[in-house]
Amino acid sequence: MANGRLTAREIARLAGVSVATVSRVSNGTGQVSEETRRRVLRAIEEHGYRPHHLGQALAARRHGAVGLVFPGLSGPYFSELIQGFESEAVNARTSVHILCTHLRADSDAEVIEMAHRVDGLAVLGGTLSDETLEELAGMLPVVVLAGGGPPGVPAVRVENTDSTTALTRHLLVDHALRRLDFVGNPSGSPDVSERWAGFREAHRQLGLPLPRAPIRVGLQQPDGVFAAEQLLRRSIRPQGIVCANDETALGVLVGATGHGLRVPQDLVITGFDDTPMAALVTPGLTTVRQPVRELAAQTARLLMQVATGTADRTGPTLVLPTELVLRGSCGCAATTTPGSRQGIAMTGLT
């Protein structure tokens, strides 16, 4: 007992409840029976307990740390995610352990080993199998970042499908393009899968033939250069290329201009993310803006709430909105399209 006051754990022992229940009562969150609430409040009043900061409550469990699992760390997207996640963790006075699974043959075992050293895990969507996520969720709180997990595992993601549909319709309707190709691997990422679905949906809505199979490449600039080489060697070249992210789109831009093509006069190129470089290149990149830092911050916040018992451990989902940003790479003046912001949706949040 520090400074004559009991901890949440000691209050829980006196009241005959869990630490999570003490947290719910002291913070006024979650469902607790009236009898249990009175018992906890009585113990709090008798012993002068004052609820600690969220981060202190987290640290009071076992480790005072949470884990962040990525496939890799290259590129501005992961940098933004880390900054958003870490800023929230710093505010909660807890540390962050990062594990990259890329090229690790024993990545599942590494993540499970990490689970013994942290109080919760945030896992980028598509990094681990549903079976591994379920195993981890049976050990400690788990939240999926930028994707979905198996039933009962919380997730925080952005809206992908409707925004890509809106982007593709803009090219098909406003610019009257017909030969569009998609660059990205739908089987490699939940986000890319949803963007590919939105690309196809725009064609379906307009009664157009479904597009060709995507050029399945990674999400880095060299992958975009490679994709451009593949597309520009075809006998019938595309009029526009919808890329799964900005990094790939910037690579396609390099590849296209290297072949002497003018953007957007000869080829329209679009991305997704709205990274800082999207506005700096010439022409500026038409893209979809997603709140990357806020995505990570919301994930960290939810993970620590689940770990301290102030949010449901089994299945809340938060979907953050995105915006269509029009620039020169599709032939438009730079603007955020009015009404293009996709709505926020929340399910299962407590």
Side-chain angles (χ1 to χ4, degrees):
M1 183 169 62
N3 300 321
R5 290 187 173 87
L6 299 187
T7 66
R9 190 177 300 280
E10 291 164 326
I11 291 292
R13 179 178 56 79
L14 290 170
V17 299
S18 68
V19 175
T21 299
V22 173
S23 178
R24 291 190 186 99
V25 172
S26 61
N27 289 293
T29 58
Q31 295 185 355
V32 179
S33 71
E34 189 57 35
E35 178 185 351
T36 300
R37 187 181 304 278
R38 284 198 299 267
R39 193 162 68 246
V40 173
L41 289 174
R42 189 182 307 116
I44 288 174
E45 291 169 3
E46 289 176 357
H47 298 280
Y49 168 71
R50 289 191 302 192
H52 288 187
H53 189 278
L54 174 62
Q56 292 173 308
L58 183 63
R61 293 173 65 83
R62 289 192 299 162
H63 307 288
V66 291
L68 188 55
V69 181
F70 286 152
L73 291 177
S74 62
Y77 178 73
F78 290 107
S79 175
E80 290 282 300
L81 285 179
I82 291 171
Q83 290 182 60
F85 192 94
E86 188 177 46
S87 66
E88 193 66 29
V90 167
N91 290 337
R93 302 176 189 174
T94 190
S95 60
V96 179
H97 297 177
I98 299 175
L99 174 64
C100 297
T101 63
H102 183 56
L103 300 180
R104 289 175 179 261
D106 57 348
S107 59
D108 283 6
E110 292 283 347
V111 176
I112 291 171
E113 194 278 330
M114 176 194 244
H116 295 289
R117 298 183 280 110
V118 295
D119 295 309
L121 281 176
V123 181
L124 190 77
T127 304
L128 301 174
S129 67
D130 281 358
E131 292 75 17
T132 301
L133 285 172
E134 288 175 340
E135 181 179 354
L136 289 166
M139 301 169 58
L140 79 170
V142 175
V143 175
V144 176
L145 165 63
V153 177
V156 183
R157 59 185 181 85
V158 300
E159 195 293 310
N160 289 295
T161 306
D162 291 346
S163 50
T164 307
T165 298
L167 170 62
T168 307
R169 283 183 63 99
H170 171 70
L171 302 181
L172 294 170
V173 175
D174 299 330
H175 294 284
L177 303 180
R178 284 297 175 268
R179 299 193 306 276
L180 300 182
D181 278 300
F182 184 88
V183 172
N185 184 1
S187 63
S189 159
D191 281 346
V192 177
S193 176
E194 291 177 355
R195 293 166 197 172
W196 167 241
F199 180 72
R200 288 168 56 88
E201 175 62 17
H203 287 78
R204 188 196 67 77
Q205 288 179 4
L206 295 170
L208 298 173
L210 290 180
R212 296 182 289 195
I215 301 296
R216 296 177 181 269
V217 296
L219 296 172
Q220 298 181 32
Q221 288 189 34
D223 300 310
V225 175
F226 175 78
E229 295 291 334
Q230 302 301 304
L231 288 167
L232 298 178
R233 279 205 299 262
R234 289 179 169 177
S235 57
I236 302 178
R237 289 182 173 179
Q239 295 173 304
I241 301 175
V242 175
C243 297
N245 71 339
D246 285 354
E247 284 194 74
T248 308
L250 294 172
V252 171
L253 180 62
V254 170
T257 55
H259 278 269
L261 297 182
R262 299 168 301 162
V263 177
Q265 294 91 338
D266 301 322
L267 182 68
V268 163
I269 300 171
T270 69
F272 198 111
D273 287 338
D274 197 26
T275 59
M277 280 300 297
L280 298 177
V281 295
T282 302
L285 185 65
T286 289
T287 186
V288 174
R289 178 180 299 148
Q290 65 162 314
V292 180
R293 288 199 188 192
E294 181 61 18
L295 171 68
Q298 291 274 14
T299 301
R301 196 174 304 133
L302 176 58
L303 178 62
M304 289 183 285
Q305 288 171 348
V306 173
T308 55
T310 58
D312 187 1
R313 182 168 173 166
T314 57
T317 297
L318 173 62
V319 182
L320 303 184
T322 51
E323 293 179 284
L324 179 57
V325 180
L326 303 180
R327 298 192 179 102
S329 72
C330 73
C332 287
T335 182
T336 299
T337 302
S340 66
R341 185 174 172 87
Q342 304 302 319
I344 188 169
M346 291 179 285
T347 60
L349 285 176
T350 58

